[in-house]
Amino acid sequence: MWELYFVLSILIVLFSVLPKIPGTYWVFRVPDFGKIQVFIIAVLTFGFGFFLEKDLTWKIAQGILAFLIIYHGIVLIKYTPLYPVKDHKPSDKASKPLQFISANVYQFNTDYNQFINLINKCKPDVFLTMESNGDWENALTVLEKDYPFQHKVTLENTYGMHFYSKLEISESKTHFFVADDIPSIEAHLKTEDGFEFVFFGVHPPPPSPTEEKTSKERDGDLLSTAKRVKEIDKPVIVVGDFNNVAWSKSSILFRKTSELIDPRVGHAFISTFHAKYRFFRFPIDLMFHSEEIFIDTLKTLENFGSDHLPVYCKFKIDHVNDDQEERIDTADAEEKAEAEEMIEEGKKEDGQRDAIVTE
């Protein structure tokens, strides 16, 4: 009993301390993904501790666990309904409701019809696919009659990306901010009732022992997107598989640099990966938006065979109501300099990815 308590306590401390170390190597960055799980295990271990012999070592261990529970709780409560945020509503001059779906389809998932049925069922105005290769592009052609506007970046390296829209695309481009095989999509859209906005789709590489050894390319790509967002004088949505969590240092820096809003604050984690394992599920498919975007619904949808759950969002655009401006944080001079440094480090990093990836 004591041995199990001791091992769990050591692991909780380790997974709590590693993300605080300012290194880019994956071993320091990945533990941040599991903050929810670390919090839950810490609470259970703390409770388990009351069934053990209460000596000095026990008191120290319980004290450390209590501190870590409070520490993780303060961070995580921000992404729950327990955290107080003002519920701003759009005015009567807002756009009609719009919907999008963002989905990492998993390149090796061949159950195309299940995803197509999901799109036909939800009927979003636009949808974004990630890890979509040539086979996925061919399968999705059946949807092009309903989605006549598209922007396709077909790759076989698990970083392909496709954007489909019922709304008119007035302009679109593919960015390769830090590497020539990691795309981001920028699409300028116009609604039927005359509202314009810009949709960014992102999918930077994750820091992991099997992919990128550091977070340099991920962070550089995201912060390059943030800089690009600041150059645009239109309502903006940035969505995709960030391979990052909202509470990480680079995500917070992204939010401040772009001056966008995180809609999860005061609402929900919206965990998406891994789709098949509920307890080991992390909120890494993120979304950020400008103050003109008013979110009505943000949630995950049912699994369609991928390792990620799709993200669904219903929103309106409102140029009149500026109440959400109070939710914007801005980067100070030191943070701006740090963002520039991270962008340059991302560009210098050589990801060594294969052009074609097989399962």
Side-chain angles (χ1 to χ4, degrees), residues 110-221:
T110 58
D111 196 352
Y112 310 116
N113 286 334
Q114 198 169 348
F115 180 73
I116 292 168
N117 291 339
L118 178 68
I119 296 299
N120 287 330
K121 174 185 174 182
C122 296
K123 295 180 171 55
D125 296 280
V126 301
F127 69 91
L128 173 74
T129 63
M130 292 155 286
E131 288 202 29
S132 40
N133 61 355
D135 291 338
W136 269 96
E137 181 178 311
N138 292 334
L140 295 178
T141 55
V142 299
L143 294 171
E144 292 185 4
K145 63 182 184 298
D146 295 321
Y147 295 87
F149 305 97
Q150 304 118 29
H151 186 101
K152 304 174 181 179
V153 189
T154 308
L155 298 172
E156 302 293 332
N157 65 350
T158 72
Y159 291 98
M161 190 178 291
H162 291 69
F163 180 70
Y164 296 82
S165 176
K166 293 180 179 179
L167 309 176
E168 177 188 349
I169 298 179
S170 59
E171 177 188 357
S172 65
K173 61 183 70 174
T174 304
H175 295 286
F176 294 94
F177 287 121
V178 299
D180 59 8
D181 58 350
I182 300 295
S184 298
I185 290 176
E186 175 187 333
H188 294 243
L189 305 169
K190 187 174 184 179
T191 69
E192 292 182 354
D193 49 353
F195 288 81
E196 296 184 47
F197 70 102
V198 182
F199 187 101
F200 280 86
V202 300
H203 182 205
S208 81
T210 58
E211 295 194 49
E212 299 308 306
K213 297 298 187 290
T214 76
S215 64
K216 290 181 180 180
E217 282 193 319
R218 181 198 68 183
D219 298 341
D221 189 75

Side-chain angles (χ1 to χ4, degrees), residues 223-247:
L223 289 167
S224 295
T225 302
K227 280 187 64 179
R228 173 59 187 153
V229 166
K230 279 288 293 170
E231 298 171 355
I232 297 173
D233 189 24
K234 293 180 184 178
V236 174
I237 290 172
V238 182
V239 68
D241 177 3
F242 277 57
N243 278 310
N244 208 355
V245 284
W247 49 80

Side-chain angles (χ1 to χ4, degrees), residues 53-72:
E53 181 181 350
K54 299 173 180 59
D55 56 12
L56 179 60
T57 303
W58 175 87
K59 291 180 180 179
I60 294 172
Q62 287 290 86
I64 293 172
L65 287 174
F67 171 80
L68 292 176
I69 288 169
I70 294 170
Y71 163 69
H72 290 300

Side-chain angles (χ1 to χ4, degrees), residues 88 105 170 348:
H88 299 296
V105 297
S170 59
K348 293 175 183 177

